[in-house]
Amino acid sequence: MTGKRLVAAALVLVLLFGGGCGRRDAEINENLIVYGVYFLNSEETKVLAVETAVARGEIRTELSGLIAMMQKKPEDVSIHAALDYDFGVNSVVLSGEQVIVNFDERYLDMKPTTAVLIRAAIVRTLTQVEGVTCVSFQINGQPLTDSAGNPLGILTADMFVDNAGTEINAYETTTLTLYFANEAGDMLVSEKREVEFNSNIALERIVVDQILAGPQKRDVCPTVNPETGIISVSIKDGICYVNLDQNFLTQVYNVTSEVTIYSIVNSLVEIGGINQVQLMVEGETDLMYREKISLNTLFERNLELIEK
């Protein structure tokens, strides 16, 4: 299917697994629900939300309504719909809590800054639906990659958080060195990853997010329970304080306790300005991780665990 506009008939929204219903506090009536649909400004320098009513119902119903809004040319000439550009959308698939957006190859011709804003608008819009936590992107069925050829992986709304009510308008690209587990689960393996992020978000938070998202390389294993929630990440006097929820204490992967702890610590120290890491669970440090490692300590980089 060609042309500038995404034709609704070409949109495939498939539920591979069951889902619930998305809801917002702002409801017009029993048939409509209000979401913030994200558009690009006419200068293509930022995105902004416009409150829009869509049909209320199951996940597929509300996602379809939001996608339709993102493909429709708005009457306001000062904004541009995220899916009203010169590329096609092959499919939009819901798999569990992840929406997979599959573009055609013309998306690669977009100006890099515009391409980032389009992704930000899509992620921020679709993850408002209850039951949708992340979005990934493909080109003709293959994972969208960064300039280094690495898959972008999943994107969450936290990667595009507004700052004190301002809209998304400042993006940076950086290469992180992240540490995950080897296949035996007893050593750390480094992985270089280029990420695009809102400069309003602290880089240390991005690092912890990426560790939770897991590795992108083959033969490299995740280290932290993916159900772990991040309460806060902050830096003071060279110490990075990472406050996680109780799920962190439950390990679901076959990796050693040291590998889990130092996958976080070593990854954070790599970004600079951090000398030590204090891990907390819901604000508490007087805990033992897997009955082996006390969290009541300041962890420093461990080079001996890195596989040569």
Side-chain angles (χ1 to χ4, degrees):
M1 185 166 294
T2 61
K4 188 174 181 181
R5 301 290 298 281
L6 170 64
V7 179
L11 180 63
V12 180
L13 182 58
V14 181
L15 280 177
L16 298 184
F17 302 98
C21 299
R23 293 293 182 268
R24 294 268 287 183
D25 290 337
E27 298 181 359
I28 296 177
N29 55 44
E30 63 181 9
N31 298 317
L32 296 175
I33 188 166
V34 173
Y35 284 107
V37 176
Y38 281 81
F39 294 82
L40 280 69
N41 67 340
S42 57
E43 295 83 11
E44 297 178 354
T45 58
K46 64 180 180 179
V47 301
L48 63 156
V50 177
E51 288 195 348
T52 306
V54 299
R56 193 173 71 151
E58 296 180 346
I59 290 180
R60 72 174 72 196
T61 300
E62 296 180 10
L63 284 176
S64 295
L66 292 173
I67 292 164
M69 290 298 100
M70 286 190 290
Q71 72 182 40
K72 182 179 180 181
K73 187 183 294 294
E75 294 182 3
D76 186 349
V77 296
S78 68
I79 58 177
H80 201 297
L83 294 178
D84 183 34
Y85 283 90
D86 193 21
F87 60 83
V89 177
N90 298 325
S91 62
V92 178
V93 176
L94 179 64
S95 177
E97 296 183 349
Q98 177 184 176
V99 175
I100 305 169
V101 181
N102 184 18
F103 297 131
D104 67 21
E105 65 280 356
R106 289 177 294 169
Y107 179 79
L108 299 176
D109 296 329
M110 299 297 299
K111 186 170 64 174
T113 53
T114 301
V116 172
L117 289 171
I118 290 171
R119 293 198 294 272
I122 294 171
V123 173
R124 286 302 307 273
T125 300
L126 298 187
T127 55
Q128 294 173 75
V129 177
E130 185 178 340
V132 176
T133 61
C134 58
V135 180
S136 64
F137 295 92
Q138 298 178 343
I139 301 295
N140 288 333
Q142 299 300 312
L144 181 63
T145 60
D146 59 28
S147 59
N150 300 311
L152 287 180
I154 61 173
L155 301 178
T156 63
D158 287 344
M159 300 180 71
F160 306 103
V161 172
D162 297 342
N163 183 26
T166 61
E167 295 295 347
I168 305 165
N169 55 23
Y171 288 88
E172 296 181 13
T173 300
T174 190
T175 300
L176 301 175
T177 299
L178 305 172
Y179 289 91
F180 297 101
N182 63 0
E183 289 188 283
D186 59 358
M187 297 290 287
L188 293 171
V189 180
S190 66
E191 176 179 302
K192 296 287 186 181
R193 182 177 303 177
E194 184 175 290
V195 296
E196 297 165 337
F197 66 99
N198 188 325
S199 60
N200 294 325
I201 305 175
L203 191 54
E204 58 270 19
R205 170 62 186 252
I206 299 295
V207 168
V208 179
D209 279 332
Q210 294 296 308
I211 291 294
L212 291 175
Q216 296 175 351
K217 289 182 178 179
R218 294 181 179 180
D219 303 325
V220 180
C221 302
T223 57
V224 182
N225 183 352
E227 297 298 319
T228 300
I230 302 174
I231 297 174
S232 64
V233 183
S234 60
I235 297 177
K236 183 178 181 181
D237 298 329
I239 301 173
C240 184
Y241 297 88
V242 180
N243 191 12
L244 306 173
D245 70 12
Q246 287 285 339
N247 289 317
F248 175 67
L249 298 176
T250 303
Q251 180 56 273
V252 297
Y253 301 117
N254 186 26
V255 299
T256 67
S257 302
E258 291 79 8
V259 163
T260 295
I261 295 295
Y262 286 101
S263 70
I264 300 173
V265 174
N266 285 14
S267 298
L268 285 167
V269 173
E270 285 282 352
I271 65 177
I274 297 174
N275 301 315
Q276 297 173 311
V277 176
Q278 173 69 76
L279 295 173
M280 299 176 283
V281 175
E282 298 186 358
E284 297 293 330
T285 59
D286 190 18
L287 298 167
M288 296 293 290
Y289 179 70
R290 297 174 69 183
E291 301 182 354
K292 293 183 178 180
I293 299 178
S294 172
L295 298 185
N296 191 20
T297 187
L298 294 176
F299 296 98
E300 298 181 354
R301 187 204 306 257
N302 187 332
L303 298 178
E304 294 181 357
L305 276 178
I306 300 174
E307 191 170 74
K308 305 302 182 183

